[in-house]
C-alpha cells in the first residue's frame, strides 16, 4: 500500500501513530471505545476507518484528526506553492495588493470560482483564488458600506474553504472561515452569515468535535430564524436554513445521535418540499435531491448500510436534477461505503468508478473514498485491473 512515494490512507496513519507512541492495539482500542477486533480490522485493511472512528482514535492518541487524515497528494509541490499563495492572501485580508477590477469583470471571476468549486475542480480553483480574493477585497474596501461587494468577498472565501477542506488543510480552513465571517458581517445579510456558519460547523466536523459543531449549527439556526421574523418563504431563505439542517444531519449522525439526526432530516425535508429542484446559493446546495443524499449518508454513519443501499439504487440510476458534481460524487462515495458494509464488493467498486467519473479530483482526495479503495484492494481484489487503477489514482499503489 502506501510507500515513500505514495501518501498513506487514514487507517495506515493510525497504525503508524500508535506504534510511534508505543501504544498497544488493545490499549488504544480501550481508550477510543473500540473493540480490539474493530481496531485490528481497520489497521490491517479489512474494514474502513470511518469519520467517527477517526475522531475517537485521534482523541485517544492526543492528535488532531488532520494528522490521521493526512495529505492526500503524492506530489504536492505545485499544491504547496499554490496553498502558500492562498495563505498569504488570507493573512493580508485587509491589505490587498491587487487593483480594483471593473464590477462586471469581478462578477465574472466570482462566478467562475463558484463554478469550479461546484465542479470539484479544486486545483484550478486554488490557482485563481489568491488573486481573486485580493481583487474582490480591493473593490469592497474602495466602496465602504457596499454590501454587494462584500458578498463577493464572502462567496470567494466560501470557495477557499472548500479547497482548504478538501486538501486536508485544517488550519487554513479555520483561518478562511474567520475571514468569511468577517466579510459576511459587512453585508448585514443573514444568508451570507448562515453560509459562513455552515463552514464554521464544518471545521468542527473535520476535527471530530461533533457536539460542538452541533452547537454551532443550533445557534446559527436560531439566529437565522430570528432574522426572518416568521418562516422561510423565499428560495434563498429555504436554501440557507435547510443547508444548516443538513449540516446538522452529518454532525448528529457522526455523534451517534439518532434522534437529533431524524429531527434535522425531518426539518430539511419539510423545507425541501417547497423547492421544485436543488439550487446553489452562496456555495450551498439545497433541495429535495441533496436532502435525500444527506439522509443516505446518515444511514451509513449510523450503521444502517442496508437502508443506505436501498436509497442509493434509484438515486444513482436517475440522479436528482440540479445537483452539481460535488454532490453527485459524494453520493457515489457514500454508496460505495454502504455496499462495502453489506459485502457487495463489486457494487462498491462500481460506485467508486462512478465517483471517479463524476468528480475525479474530489474522489482522489476524499478520505472515505481512499478507505474503500484500500479495503477492496486488501480483500483479495488485487488482480482486478480497474481496482488497481483506482488504487493508483488515490496514491495507494504504484
Amino acid at each position: 500500500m502506501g510507500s515513500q512515494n505514495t501518501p498513506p490512507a487514514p487507517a495506515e496513519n493510525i497504525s503508524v501513530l500508535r506504534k510511534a507512541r508505543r501504544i498497544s492495539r488493545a490499549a488504544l482500542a480501550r481508550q477510543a471505545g473500540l473493540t480490539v477486533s474493530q481496531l485490528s480490522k481497520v489497521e490491517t485493511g479489512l474494514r474502513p476507518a470511518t469519520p467517527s472512528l477517526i475522531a475517537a482514535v485521534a482523541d485517544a492518541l492526543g492528535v488532531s484528526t488532520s494528522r490521521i487524515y493526512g495529505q492526500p497528494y503524492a506530489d504536492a509541490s505545485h499544491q504547496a506553492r499554490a496553498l502558500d499563495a492562498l495563505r498569504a492572501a488570507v493573512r493580508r485580508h485587509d491589505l490587498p495588493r491587487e487593483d480594483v477590477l471593473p464590477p462586471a469583470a469581478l462578477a465574472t471571476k466570482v462566478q467562475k470560482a463558484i463554478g469550479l468549486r461546484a465542479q470539484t475542480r479544486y486545483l484550478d480553483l486554488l490557482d485563481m483564488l489568491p488573486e481573486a480574493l485580493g481583487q474582490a477585497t480591493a473593490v469592497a474596501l474602495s466602496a465602504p458600506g457596499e454590501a454587494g461587494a462584500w458578498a463577493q468577498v464572502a462567496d470567494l472565501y466560501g470557495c477557499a474553504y472548500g479547497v482548504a477542506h478538501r486538501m486536508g488543510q485544517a488550519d487554513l480552513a479555520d483561518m478562511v472561515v474567520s475571514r468569511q465571517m468577517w466579510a459576511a458581517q459587512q453585508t448585514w445579510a443573514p444568508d451570507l452569515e448562515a453560509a459562513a456558519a455552515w463552514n464554521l460547523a464544518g471545521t468542527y466536523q473535520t476535527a471530530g468535535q461533533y457536539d460542538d459543531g452541533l452547537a454551532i449549527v443550533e445557534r446559527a439556526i436560531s439566529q437565522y430564524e430570528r432574522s426572518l421574523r416568521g418562516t422561510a418563504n423565499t428560495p434563498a431563505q429555504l436554501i440557507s436554513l435547510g443547508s444548516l439542517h443538513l449540516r446538522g444531519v452529518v454532525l448528529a449522525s457522526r455523534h451517534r445521535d439518532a434522534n437529533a439526526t431524524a429531527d434535522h432530516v425531518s426539518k430539511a425535508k419539510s423545507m425541501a418540499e417547497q423547492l421544485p429542484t436543488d439550487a446553489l446559493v452562496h456555495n450551498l446546495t439545497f433541495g429535495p435531491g441533496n436532502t435525500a443524499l444527506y439522509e443516505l449518508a446518515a444511514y451509513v454513519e449510523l450503521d444502517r448500510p442496508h437502508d443506505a443501499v436501498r436509497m442509493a439504487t434509484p438515486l444513482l440510476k436517475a440522479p436528482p436534477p440540479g445537483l452539481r458534481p460535488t454532490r453527485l460524487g459524494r453520493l457515489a462515495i457514500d454508496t460505495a461505503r454502504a455496499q462495502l458494509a453489506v459485502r457487495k464488493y463489486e457494487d462498491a467498486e462500481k460506485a467508486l468508478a462512478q465517483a471517479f467519473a463524476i468528480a475525479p479530483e474530489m474522489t482522489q482526495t476524499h478520505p472515505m473514498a481512499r478507505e474503500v479503495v484500500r479495503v477492496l484492494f486488501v480483500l483479495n481484489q488485487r488482480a482486478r485491473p480497474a481496482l488497481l487503477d483506482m488504487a493508483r489514482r488515490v496514491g495507494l499503489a504504484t
Side-chain angles (χ1 to χ4, degrees):
M1 301 299 288
S3 70
Q4 289 182 346
N5 297 318
T6 60
E12 292 177 286
N13 284 328
I14 290 173
S15 179
V16 169
L17 289 168
R18 177 180 65 77
K19 292 173 182 177
R21 284 161 172 72
R22 298 183 179 180
I23 300 173
S24 70
R25 188 174 284 165
L28 179 58
R30 183 175 61 254
Q31 294 171 26
L34 305 169
T35 66
V36 176
S37 176
Q38 285 176 318
L39 183 58
S40 175
K41 288 179 179 178
V42 166
E43 287 192 355
T44 57
L46 298 176
R47 179 172 177 169
T50 65
S52 297
L53 182 145
I54 289 170
V57 170
D59 185 58
L61 288 172
V63 301
S64 67
T65 54
S66 62
R67 284 286 303 279
I68 294 179
Y69 282 120
Q71 169 54 252
Y73 286 99
D75 180 9
S77 57
H78 173 75
Q79 289 85 356
R81 290 192 296 273
L83 283 166
D84 284 344
L86 179 58
R87 287 178 191 278
V90 174
R91 187 177 300 113
R92 60 172 191 272
H93 65 288
D94 57 353
L95 293 171
R97 298 173 180 171
E98 290 74 12
D99 295 330
V100 173
L101 280 184
L106 179 59
T108 298
K109 184 166 284 193
V110 172
Q111 288 306 308
K112 179 181 178 181
I114 291 172
L116 289 173
R117 184 183 187 278
Q119 296 162 23
T120 72
R121 292 171 55 189
Y122 299 113
L123 300 181
D124 291 338
L125 177 57
L126 175 59
D127 284 339
M128 72 169 290
L129 272 173
E131 181 183 62
L133 277 170
Q135 291 168 334
T137 305
V139 169
L141 291 174
S142 70
E146 177 54 53
W150 284 108
Q152 292 176 313
V153 178
D155 282 341
L156 285 172
Y157 275 117
C159 293
Y161 170 81
V163 168
H165 168 67
R166 188 53 54 215
M167 294 190 173
Q169 305 293 317
D171 60 329
L172 178 57
D174 286 342
M175 187 162 59
V176 165
V177 168
S178 69
R179 302 296 191 250
Q180 185 183 8
M181 294 195 124
W182 163 73
Q185 288 166 358
Q186 314 303 313
T187 69
W188 299 93
D191 293 336
L192 284 158
E193 294 191 29
W198 192 88
N199 284 337
L200 176 61
T203 64
Y204 285 89
Q205 178 180 309
T206 300
Q209 298 170 346
Y210 305 129
D211 51 348
D212 289 338
L214 278 169
I216 295 294
V217 166
E218 296 295 346
R219 184 178 67 188
I221 288 172
S222 296
Q223 290 174 341
Y224 193 83
E225 288 177 338
R226 283 198 302 271
S227 74
L228 293 177
R229 298 180 182 178
T231 58
N233 294 310
T234 70
Q237 292 170 346
L238 290 166
I239 290 169
S240 295
L241 191 54
S243 293
L244 288 171
H245 281 294
L246 292 185
R247 179 66 87 184
V249 169
V250 178
L251 289 160
S253 62
R254 292 188 181 180
H255 195 48
R256 319 293 291 177
D257 189 333
N259 290 331
T261 301
D263 183 58
H264 282 295
V265 168
S266 176
K267 290 175 179 174
K269 281 185 174 180
S270 177
M271 294 175 192
E273 289 171 356
Q274 302 176 57
L275 295 170
T277 186
D278 289 73
L280 177 69
V281 175
H282 299 309
N283 291 302
L284 299 178
T285 300
F286 183 74
N290 205 26
T291 299
L293 267 55
Y294 272 79
E295 183 178 11
L296 183 156
Y299 284 142
V300 177
E301 301 297 347
L302 292 171
D303 296 328
R304 295 172 57 182
H306 289 283
D307 289 319
V309 169
R310 173 182 53 78
M311 284 192 70
T313 301
L315 287 171
L316 282 175
K317 286 183 178 179
L323 292 183
R324 272 64 172 183
T326 182
R327 297 308 310 145
L328 295 176
R330 184 56 195 264
L331 164 64
I333 291 171
D334 284 330
T335 300
R337 293 178 63 197
Q339 297 285 15
L340 178 62
V342 299
R343 300 184 180 182
K344 293 186 176 180
Y345 303 134
E346 288 190 14
D347 289 336
E349 184 180 326
K350 289 178 182 177
L352 275 180
Q354 285 185 269
F356 274 109
I358 295 167
E361 282 192 32
M362 183 180 77
T363 307
Q364 175 188 341
T365 61
H366 198 289
M368 292 303 100
R370 301 176 80 234
E371 279 296 292
V372 173
V373 171
R374 182 182 67 92
V375 173
L376 289 176
F377 200 67
V378 168
L379 292 174
N380 301 313
Q381 304 282 318
R382 290 179 174 83
R384 300 176 67 86
L387 182 59
L388 177 59
D389 178 65
M390 284 191 280
R392 287 170 174 158
R393 292 179 71 176
V394 301
L396 297 178
T398 56

